[in-house]
Amino acid sequence: MTDVPRDELARRIAGEITLSDDAGATLRKWRTDFDISQTVLAEELDVSSSVISDYESGRRESPGIGVVRRMVEALLDIDESRGGSRIRQYARVISAGFESDIVQDLREYPASVPLERLYEVMDATELVRGDHDQVSGHTVINSIQAITRLSSEEFYRLYGQSTSRALVFTHVSRGESPLVAMRVVNPTPNAVILHGLEEEDLWEHAPALAGIDGFSLAIANRDLDAMLEDLRTIS
């Protein structure tokens, strides 16, 4: 595995932890995102698990840059020993030019999969069937961050390597902003999935707009972290 994505990711994680108002909470976020327990991280660092717990809970003074660097390297070493899936995931986001708080996951599948497979993994309910019944990848997007921070040109990069994909928008309250954004993005994705709302809360014009632009529209409302974990199993 090339060192470039790893080194860039290490700098980003270390910087985020060091600059955070709650370094312990930020450390915990990255540890859990890498699916690494306190015990495993502690073993890698040759310390007791209570040390990790104390840092994350704020019982111990925020770690200095040297300790942060060791913790970050330990996270990455553990991931590499498991095959490096998290490093590759973030490398895709970084190479597309996005911050990880905007794009939460970006994947290309080895082969196209039926939309029903994606729906099953996400526990999603389809409201509108579009012109395509398969996808070749997905991009999970924090809708608030994307809409407030991305230019129209940057929206195109959300497609990754192919527009034959599902765009999953999280932190959605009604779905109006993502659906309006899709009106000015051409071509449109094969599917748009809105996460975080119930059908009765959906913007009333959303299904009609999806029908006009020819993409499938679905909603999902399961736990976000668990959903992201399951999405990484699609192959």
Side-chain angles (χ1 to χ4, degrees):
M1 180 179 302
T2 177
D3 288 337
V4 175
R6 173 179 169 133
D7 292 346
E8 176 64 21
L9 180 57
R11 284 193 292 270
R12 290 192 179 208
I13 298 175
E16 185 174 328
I17 295 172
T18 303
L19 297 174
S20 174
D21 291 334
D22 189 340
T26 305
L27 170 61
R28 182 172 60 252
K29 180 199 78 170
W30 281 104
R31 178 183 58 75
T32 56
D33 194 58
F34 273 74
D35 194 25
I36 295 171
S37 68
Q38 290 182 344
T39 300
V40 170
L41 178 58
E43 289 175 351
E44 183 72 20
L45 291 167
D46 195 23
V47 299
S48 69
S49 58
S50 64
V51 172
I52 307 299
S53 177
D54 287 347
Y55 275 128
E56 292 185 354
S57 65
R59 290 190 297 268
R60 184 180 290 246
E61 185 178 350
S62 294
I65 185 60
V67 174
V68 169
R69 186 180 296 112
R70 285 189 60 219
M71 289 181 170
V72 171
E73 290 299 324
L75 291 175
L76 299 179
D77 285 343
I78 294 168
D79 185 61
E80 282 194 337
S81 72
R82 296 174 172 177
S85 62
R86 293 298 193 274
I87 295 175
R88 287 195 297 273
Q89 171 199 339
Y90 286 110
R92 287 190 290 268
V93 174
I94 291 169
S95 65
F98 295 112
E99 299 291 338
S100 60
D101 62 337
I102 298 177
V103 173
Q104 296 165 284
D105 194 23
L106 191 157
R107 289 180 55 85
E108 314 296 336
Y109 308 150
S112 295
V113 302
L115 259 176
E116 282 73 16
R117 165 67 174 144
L118 185 66
Y119 293 156
E120 179 183 5
V121 168
M122 297 183 63
D123 194 19
T125 301
E126 185 177 75
L127 305 177
V128 176
R129 174 48 62 106
D131 299 335
H132 306 278
D133 59 5
Q134 299 208 358
V135 289
S136 300
H138 67 253
T139 309
V140 182
I141 307 142
N142 183 314
S143 62
I144 297 173
Q145 297 297 330
I147 291 166
T148 56
R149 292 166 56 185
L150 296 185
S151 67
S152 58
E153 292 80 9
E154 289 173 318
F155 252 90
Y156 291 106
R157 298 210 306 274
L158 295 171
Y159 289 112
Q161 296 176 10
S162 170
T163 59
S164 174
R165 70 193 307 104
L167 297 186
V168 182
F169 290 92
T170 67
H171 299 83
V172 174
S173 57
R174 297 182 66 232
E176 181 174 357
S177 296
L179 268 294
V180 170
M182 290 300 97
R183 295 252 63 205
V184 298
V185 175
N186 188 29
T188 54
N190 287 11
V192 170
I193 303 173
L194 305 177
H195 178 270
L197 77 168
E198 302 292 344
E199 185 173 355
E200 58 265 26
D201 299 321
L202 180 67
W203 184 43
E204 60 184 294
H205 300 295
L209 291 181
I212 291 171
D213 289 329
F215 58 81
S216 297
L217 177 66
I219 59 173
N221 200 27
R222 63 173 298 202
D223 177 77
L224 178 58
D225 290 336
M227 185 185 76
L228 287 171
E229 183 68 25
D230 288 346
L231 279 172
R232 297 177 184 123
T233 68
I234 295 179
S235 60

